[in-house]
Amino acid sequence: LGNRCVKRGIDFAGANNKKIPKVPTMDGCMKYCNEEQRCKSVAHDVPIRTCWIKTGERGARVNIKAGVDSASKSCYQKKALPRARIYNNTITRILNIFKV
């Protein structure tokens, strides 16, 4: 994902609310975050495919850590919404062309 909100090699450490194993992507991690009312950010440990749901916008502190990517929920959602709108508009146009 080319999302500028994802901080590669940065661990939003502390402020952990929940550990979720077997999450292969940041998109998957953010999906869990969206389901958690208290989630403000996530840290995704890529090598062990683990998502950490955070209650702070940037955890409790920021650490440099290889293999861990972090993102705040508010930034990630703002960047993802335009893509979804473009996709939905494209699908609508295609359906209109073929009168489906």
Side-chain angles (χ1 to χ4, degrees):
L1 178 73
N3 192 319
R4 287 182 279 158
C5 295
V6 177
K7 308 302 180 198
R8 304 218 181 273
I10 300 294
D11 181 15
F12 290 172
N16 294 329
N17 184 46
K18 187 182 276 187
K19 174 184 175 184
I20 304 168
K22 300 179 184 174
V23 181
T25 65
M26 176 58 80
D27 284 338
C29 198
M30 198 52 72
K31 179 182 171 215
Y32 284 106
C33 180
N34 288 329
E35 294 170 359
E36 292 285 329
Q37 185 176 10
R38 295 182 61 211
C39 181
K40 301 280 191 250
S41 63
V42 297
H44 182 239
D45 193 323
V46 179
I48 63 170
R49 300 165 60 121
T50 299
C51 179
W52 296 90
I53 303 296
K54 310 288 182 168
T55 57
E57 187 70 22
R58 287 181 168 70
R61 62 194 173 283
V62 176
N63 294 333
I64 296 171
K65 188 172 181 183
V68 175
D69 300 332
S70 296
S72 71
K73 182 179 185 177
S74 60
C75 181
Y76 199 88
Q77 287 178 333
K78 286 178 192 173
K79 297 294 181 187
L81 283 176
R83 262 196 206 159
R85 284 191 193 120
I86 290 168
Y87 175 78
N88 288 336
N89 288 340
T90 302
I91 294 298
T92 301
R93 286 184 196 142
I94 290 169
L95 293 174
N96 286 336
I97 289 168
F98 292 104
K99 308 282 187 216
V100 176

